[in-house]
Amino acid sequence: MTDADVHLVAQPRLDTVVTEFVTDARRLRSDYAGMAWIGDRPDPESGQLGPDYRQRGVDSQLFLPDTHWYDVDALDDVEVQVSVGLLQVAGTALRTQGLVGAIADPVVEFFEHPEGLPGVGLCLGLTGQIFSNLGLAYRVTVLCAPEAVLRHGGTGQPDAQGDTGQPDAQPDDE
């Protein structure tokens, strides 16, 4: 459970087909990136986060809204890389600013479609303790066989079965 609100702002997913160096096998590389605002969203005019200075726990599974839906049986050789970087620590009511808390051990997990459709999608897991509002930049890279993708995600347009690739609700994002 997260004591702080978490707001995810995804950037467009980038898909490229690459050749594996040793085997010359074709691989699909999907790069997911965006921002996670933890505690509050930034003011649209100043770009600053609010001074809500209190200790809060963070334990969130953030559904990546542009995730592909993958065939779990075809992911036996999948490679996943995740990085998270601190972008902004908000000023406090005491007019101080600095690293006040931490987000540790970001993880990416595959999850089943919440409506029971075939395939698994991606969630970004964040845990830690914060004392003010934080902004984090994230990047997730998935390298897999192109055939592992059942449905392309994040288009907002329905496929032949009427699925947009996006579930109706995000799992445990607050």
Side-chain angles (χ1 to χ4, degrees):
M1 165 158 322
T2 299
D3 296 332
D5 291 336
V6 180
H7 311 280
L8 192 66
V9 181
Q11 293 297 308
R13 180 194 64 243
L14 298 177
D15 292 320
T16 53
V17 175
V18 298
T19 303
E20 193 170 86
F21 179 69
V22 176
T23 66
D24 286 335
R26 288 175 26 117
R27 308 278 281 167
L28 174 65
R29 176 184 170 153
S30 297
D31 290 294
Y32 304 87
M35 295 294 307
W37 299 106
I38 303 173
D40 199 1
R41 293 179 193 221
D43 180 275
E45 292 181 20
S46 70
Q48 293 293 309
L49 293 168
D52 188 9
Y53 190 76
R54 61 187 169 91
Q55 184 174 1
R56 293 171 282 182
V58 176
D59 187 4
S60 289
Q61 294 296 312
L62 304 170
F63 163 72
L64 299 184
D66 55 348
T67 184
H68 286 313
W69 293 95
Y70 298 94
D71 178 356
V72 71
D73 294 329
L75 291 176
D76 57 340
D77 64 346
V78 68
E79 295 178 53
V80 179
Q81 184 182 66
V82 60
S83 60
V84 174
L86 182 64
L87 182 71
Q88 180 181 27
V89 176
T92 69
L94 302 172
R95 298 209 182 278
T96 61
Q97 191 164 357
L99 182 58
V100 285
I103 300 295
D105 222 10
V107 297
V108 172
E109 297 176 319
F110 289 96
F111 68 97
E112 293 179 358
H113 196 288
E115 296 171 359
L117 295 175
V120 292
L122 294 173
C123 269
L124 173 63
L126 300 173
T127 59
Q129 291 286 320
I130 63 172
F131 296 92
S132 68
N133 300 309
L134 299 176
L136 297 171
Y138 70 88
R139 175 168 299 281
V140 176
T141 300
V142 176
L143 195 62
C144 67
E147 304 79 44
V149 176
L150 293 174
R151 292 182 312 283
H152 296 278
T155 64
Q157 301 296 318
D159 62 13
Q161 291 78 33
D163 180 33
T164 62
Q166 301 171 347
D168 292 333
Q170 295 187 9
D172 190 27
D173 66 344
E174 294 191 44

